[in-house]
Amino acid sequence: MMRSLMARRLLCSASVTTLLAFAAAPALAQDQAKAQQAAPAGTQNDASGPDTSQDIVVTAQFRSERLQDTPLAISAVNGSLAAARSQVSIADIAKTAPSVNIEPSANGGGPSSTIFIRGIGQSDSIPAVEPGVGVYIDDVYYGILTGSNFDLLDIDRVEILRGPQGTLSGKNSEGGSIKLYNRQPTNDPGGYAEFTYGSFNRSQARGAVNIPIVDDKILLRVGGVYRHVRGFLDRLDYGCVNPGTVPQVSGSSRNDGCRIGREGGQDLAAIRATLRLNLSERLHDTISFDRISDHQESTPSKLIYSLPLWTGGLDFTTPAKSYSNYSTFTGQPFTANQYTQPARNDVDQWGISNVLDWELSDNLSIKSITAYRKSNTVANQDGDASPYNVFLQNFEFNNKQFTQELRLSGSLSSVLDWTVGGFYYHSDLLNKGYIDIAGGLAPGGGGVNLAFITRDPIKSESTSGFAHGVVHITDKLNVTGGLRYTDESKDYTFVRLSPTGGTADFRVAGLNGTSSRYSGSRWDYRVAVDYRWSPSLMTYAQVATGFKGGGINPRPYFPTQAVPFKPEKVISYEAGTKADLFDRKVRLSADAFYTDFSDIQLTVTQCDSLSPFPGAPCTQTTNAGNAKLWGAEIEGDIRPVGGLSINFAASLIDFKYKSVNPLTGIPLDADNPFLSKTKLSGGIQYEIPLFGGTVTPRLDVDYRSGFATEALPTLTDIGRVSPRTLLNARLTYRSEDRSWELSGGVTNLTDKFYYASRFDRSGPPFFTALGIVGRPREWSVSVKRNF
């Protein structure tokens, strides 16, 4: 009742603020010109030429600050640099940021991502489990990771904040935050159009246009993208490739030889429109709408382990470095009940947001961020990548999300800058699915023979209040403090139905209609101090806390597995420095950190203590134990002479359990999933005057050490991804006036075959493991017109 009342008050405050703003607009129009403000965040350059200033302005602490003046571990990339690096998604940006790992989901989450920063994140991408890293677009929080690998449609900049951000970001983002900011409408007409063609019939068109409808008053910006790319991994008919053997694929259509389909393709269409109303010099309202239709072929995967018992002695693995598998997405094959699911992952979503900025006086302002989003995700997974049926699942996530954030910011002379506010989040998730588990205990799959339909509604609500202040002790010394209180709840109802109608299998029937609830509250804080030794050198130190909410295991196969898990908590200590050296030709940012990591939430796939029989299927979110993390990070940008630019980043992280929950079976020396201990990246480009314009060759390299993908290691390390080094190259020609741009690029230049992630179910009852295949070498050519 109290949470609902607080929510209504927040909504009421937002509505009243908006009404007062419109009412006050005529009066405010008579006010004097506002005081000089900090430079606007990011850049606003449709020409997308290289940014030679090195200065990116960010808003990580609620105010516009130069990146080098922000006492946080933060990486930032503007739109022009992202284009130069051939970066088209948040995952691409993450490759060049220290301690950040974004990989495609491997556990049935479909077109979603597993996102980790400094070893903290979320390995299970099901929307019912909170992300450990918050993703924000134009300050709007996205509560689920499904569809989180957002296309960089028309970006101004991307900010990646490392470490707990609970007192700064909209929601309790304990591992860090990834914030994408789109270009905003301006009073300058213009825009750009870009066309790309490349490998696998890649056809892409993207562009944006800036339209001043009423000069200085009503401004519109519209951007859109369409992309088609054919899948790079072939699904083959085993019987066709191996004539005279069984099994044959019943009723499959062969489009080209023995191929029955592909994986890794995409058809994407997205549009975003932003309307800015400058109601006065002090009052601005921005309304944004976006629509995304992302239809993908299934996640490209290969069978890397199978038990001969269920294969009947047949070998369903394809050659080690071939882009192929024997997936059929067929359940109960060779029977009268045979069915086939579409080998697709699809996301359809739309959202609308309203951002009201009202400068009440020269030192007092209010900001209201209101947003609603609706998404529908369909994900299909053939968990054995073979013509048999060991594990086949379909998920459909229908999610509705509402967020409201209010911020009141002000300053007290030159002594204090402060912000207080509140945040409200509500989501309605319907977790639907069809789970078909034959198991790998018999030839062809069988032994468990469990099939059921899920229809689980899950409601989440979070309300918080926060305060943030920076005290300027002197013109060189600042002390920062932040405090946040969060109160949240989640309500679960488990529905289990029979695929053929009637009562569900007796082993799962006890879950049908069962309801559970999680609720909790938490205080978080941040204390930091920074000192500017000179105009070119600043150091800082901070301590910050964060948490990820608890809940009830959202993937129970049996009633005994529907058990609660506690919130995950962190306290992080960090010290860093930011420097501009040699007349700003060398820019460095470095930090070291130590983190206490408590009640770690991990997904285990063996939980006999909670199951009705040994080796029963299990996908259990549980508190694994306590650990410590420590590491160091460095980023740099070197511009020794005109036209030459070198950037680099590196991180080194160590993880060690201090204690583990003995019921999980996790050993003390286990690694944390998706944690690369070493990560290195770098890029070099040189802009050469040529042909009446400039030619810029660029080379980028990305290395990361191997990492585990499962909480519980196997004897053969099947769930571990090997180290990899990837190279990208790009050559760009720009006309002298920057109106035309022609570029060609190659990603994965050495055509390295690698696994981006793994799906390890090598234990009972599945006895199978898949590797999620990274993209091969791809080329593309683009032509861009700025106007």
Side-chain angles (χ1 to χ4, degrees):
M1 182 66 182
M2 180 61 69
R3 282 184 291 275
S4 298
L5 180 59
M6 293 180 71
R8 287 196 294 271
R9 287 176 177 173
L10 273 173
L11 292 175
C12 182
S13 297
S15 302
V16 170
T17 300
T18 304
L19 290 173
L20 287 174
F22 279 100
L28 289 173
Q30 307 301 318
D31 289 351
Q32 295 180 350
K34 59 185 178 180
Q36 181 70 28
Q37 299 295 307
T43 62
Q44 291 286 331
N45 181 17
D46 275 326
S48 297
D51 177 17
T52 58
S53 71
Q54 293 183 272
D55 279 329
I56 297 178
V57 177
V58 299
T59 55
Q61 295 194 122
F62 304 120
R63 285 172 173 79
S64 295
E65 300 174 293
R66 288 192 324 130
L67 181 64
Q68 290 298 92
D69 293 333
T70 307
L72 288 168
I74 176 174
S75 302
V77 173
N78 60 27
S80 59
L81 184 55
R85 294 175 176 175
S86 300
Q87 295 170 329
V88 298
S89 68
I90 290 179
D92 292 335
I93 296 286
K95 292 177 182 177
T96 60
S99 302
V100 183
N101 198 354
I102 300 181
E103 301 294 349
S105 173
N107 58 6
S112 58
S113 301
T114 52
I115 304 179
F116 280 74
I117 297 180
R118 292 180 175 176
I120 298 173
Q122 174 193 349
S123 57
D124 190 344
S125 57
I126 186 171
V129 180
E130 287 187 21
V133 174
V135 176
Y136 301 79
I137 296 183
D138 293 332
D139 284 328
V140 174
Y141 174 72
Y142 281 59
I144 63 175
L145 294 182
T146 303
S148 61
N149 190 12
F150 301 106
D151 185 85
L152 303 182
L153 172 58
D154 186 32
I155 69 159
D156 176 53
R157 72 191 187 281
V158 176
E159 301 177 12
I160 300 180
L161 288 69
R162 304 186 295 276
Q165 304 299 321
T167 64
L168 291 174
S169 296
K171 204 170 185 293
N172 40 290
S173 303
E174 57 163 2
S177 299
I178 297 177
K179 297 185 174 183
L180 188 154
Y181 292 93
N182 291 289
R183 290 176 178 169
Q184 297 299 300
T186 69
N187 205 47
D188 299 320
Y192 69 92
E194 183 180 34
F195 301 93
T196 302
Y197 183 79
S199 301
F200 304 107
N201 290 335
R202 178 181 294 270
S203 304
Q204 177 176 292
R206 62 190 302 155
V209 60
N210 204 71
I211 307 171
I213 299 174
V214 176
D215 193 44
D216 285 327
K217 298 296 183 182
I218 304 176
L219 312 173
L220 175 67
R221 188 175 183 92
V222 180
V225 61
Y226 169 77
R227 179 189 303 126
H228 166 80
V229 60
R230 192 190 69 205
F232 64 87
L233 186 144
D234 292 333
R235 295 195 297 119
L236 303 177
D237 184 325
Y238 179 85
C240 175
V241 175
N242 303 274
T245 63
V246 292
Q248 300 284 337
V249 180
S250 175
S252 63
S253 64
R254 300 168 188 166
N255 301 316
D256 182 12
C258 294
R259 189 179 67 240
I260 60 175
R262 292 188 175 96
E263 293 179 349
Q266 182 187 43
D267 283 287
L268 168 71
I271 188 170
R272 183 178 187 88
T274 303
L275 182 68
R276 182 174 176 85
L277 307 175
N278 293 323
L279 303 173
S280 76
E281 291 186 358
R282 294 182 181 267
L283 182 61
H284 311 279
D285 195 57
T286 303
I287 305 167
S288 298
F289 174 83
D290 67 88
R291 178 76 169 84
I292 301 172
S293 178
D294 188 0
H295 296 263
Q296 303 180 16
E297 294 168 338
S298 289
T299 306
S301 59
K302 286 173 64 73
L303 182 67
I304 56 178
Y305 169 79
S306 59
L307 188 70
L309 181 64
W310 69 260
T311 68
L314 298 174
D315 185 4
F316 293 137
T317 61
T318 53
K321 294 186 178 182
S322 70
Y323 293 95
S324 60
N325 65 26
Y326 292 123
S327 278
T328 63
F329 289 81
T330 298
Q332 302 182 34
F334 323 116
T335 72
N337 297 321
Q338 177 174 305
Y339 66 95
T340 299
Q341 293 179 349
R344 300 198 60 82
N345 295 324
D346 299 323
V347 176
D348 288 286
Q349 59 178 304
W350 65 270
I352 187 169
S353 66
N354 186 85
V355 179
L356 179 71
D357 289 289
W358 187 7
E359 188 181 358
L360 302 172
S361 66
D362 288 347
N363 59 3
L364 186 65
S365 63
I366 191 168
K367 189 182 192 78
S368 171
I369 307 168
T370 310
Y372 174 82
R373 297 201 63 81
K374 183 176 181 180
S375 65
N376 181 70
T377 303
V378 177
N380 295 297
Q381 182 186 44
D382 187 343
D384 51 81
S386 81
Y388 286 151
N389 177 28
V390 172
F391 184 32
L392 186 64
Q393 60 181 352
N394 160 269
F395 283 111
E396 182 174 352
F397 307 127
N398 300 325
N399 190 65
K400 301 175 184 178
Q401 169 191 313
F402 174 80
T403 57
Q404 172 65 56
E405 183 169 1
L406 287 175
R407 303 175 190 167
L408 181 66
S409 299
S411 59
L412 181 61
S413 185
S414 60
V415 177
L416 173 67
D417 293 320
W418 56 269
T419 298
V420 296
F423 177 81
Y424 174 72
Y425 169 81
H426 177 89
S427 76
D428 284 312
L429 170 68
L430 182 59
N431 179 15
K432 302 192 292 185
Y434 178 23
I435 314 299
D436 189 347
I437 302 173
L441 306 176
V448 175
N449 302 322
L450 181 65
F452 57 90
I453 291 175
T454 67
R455 293 287 188 275
D456 300 348
I458 302 172
K459 297 183 183 294
S460 300
E461 193 170 79
S462 178
T463 306
S464 59
F466 57 88
H468 176 267
V470 181
V471 180
H472 308 290
I473 306 296
T474 70
D475 59 350
K476 295 182 178 180
L477 177 64
N478 303 303
V479 176
T480 301
L483 191 66
R484 175 183 290 262
Y485 176 76
T486 303
D487 187 271
E488 60 183 16
S489 66
K490 298 176 185 176
D491 293 287
Y492 302 74
T493 300
F494 298 106
V495 177
R496 297 295 181 267
L497 305 172
S498 170
T500 58
T503 305
D505 187 296
F506 74 93
R507 291 170 290 181
V508 302
L511 276 170
N512 193 42
T514 299
S515 295
S516 297
R517 179 180 175 83
Y518 158 80
S519 62
S521 60
R522 162 88 176 181
W523 286 95
D524 281 303
Y525 65 87
R526 173 180 176 240
V527 178
V529 58
D530 66 89
Y531 188 80
R532 181 157 290 282
W533 302 88
S534 71
S536 60
L537 179 65
M538 184 264 283
T539 58
Y540 70 92
Q542 73 166 16
V543 57
T545 68
F547 83 106
K548 179 168 67 175
I552 312 297
N553 175 35
R555 295 185 189 261
Y557 294 101
F558 311 100
T560 52
Q561 294 176 355
V563 295
F565 54 91
K566 296 185 293 185
E568 180 180 88
K569 302 177 287 292
V570 299
I571 178 169
S572 178
Y573 307 87
E574 179 181 314
T577 183
K578 298 190 177 186
D580 291 300
L581 309 174
F582 306 109
D583 196 24
R584 299 187 69 191
K585 292 180 179 179
V586 177
R587 170 161 290 181
L588 295 175
S589 176
D591 64 82
F593 64 89
Y594 173 86
T595 301
D596 274 319
F597 198 9
S598 304
D599 295 317
I600 303 171
Q601 295 174 11
L602 293 177
T603 303
V604 296
T605 57
Q606 296 179 27
C607 56
D608 288 350
S609 63
L610 298 174
S611 303
F613 56 90
C618 173
T619 305
Q620 187 79 22
T621 301
T622 189
N623 297 107
N626 304 322
K628 56 184 178 180
L629 291 132
W630 61 95
E633 303 159 334
I634 186 170
E635 290 182 280
D637 191 283
I638 304 173
R639 307 197 181 194
V641 295
L644 178 61
S645 175
I646 302 168
N647 64 276
F648 63 89
S651 59
L652 180 66
I653 306 177
D654 202 3
F655 170 93
K656 185 175 180 58
Y657 277 111
K658 296 190 292 185
S659 62
V660 295
N661 179 353
L663 296 179
T664 64
I666 298 174
L668 270 174
D669 61 352
D671 290 332
N672 203 39
F674 295 95
L675 171 60
S676 291
K677 292 186 177 181
T678 304
K679 187 178 178 189
L680 306 169
S681 66
I684 182 171
Q685 71 178 43
Y686 188 54
E687 188 174 20
I688 308 166
L690 200 65
F691 304 128
T694 62
V695 174
T696 307
R698 182 177 179 90
L699 182 68
D700 287 280
V701 60
D702 164 36
Y703 166 81
R704 68 188 63 189
S705 60
F707 56 89
T709 59
E710 303 289 342
L712 189 63
T714 58
L715 294 176
T716 56
D717 264 346
I718 290 173
R720 188 170 187 85
V721 172
S722 300
R724 67 173 183 259
T725 301
L726 300 177
L727 293 172
N728 296 338
R730 190 175 182 88
L731 182 66
T732 302
Y733 169 77
R734 293 185 180 91
S735 63
E736 185 176 6
D737 62 358
R738 304 286 183 179
S739 61
W740 286 97
E741 182 177 311
L742 178 65
S743 61
V746 181
T747 56
N748 191 1
L749 183 63
T750 61
D751 201 20
K752 181 178 179 61
F753 182 93
Y754 68 99
Y755 290 112
S757 185
R758 297 203 175 199
F759 183 67
D760 181 9
R761 295 298 180 267
S762 55
F766 306 116
F767 303 105
T768 183
L770 304 181
I772 309 304
V773 182
R775 299 195 71 88
R777 178 169 55 212
E778 295 177 275
W779 61 267
S780 65
V781 292
S782 300
V783 59
K784 184 176 182 179
R785 174 73 166 115
N786 299 298
F787 54 88

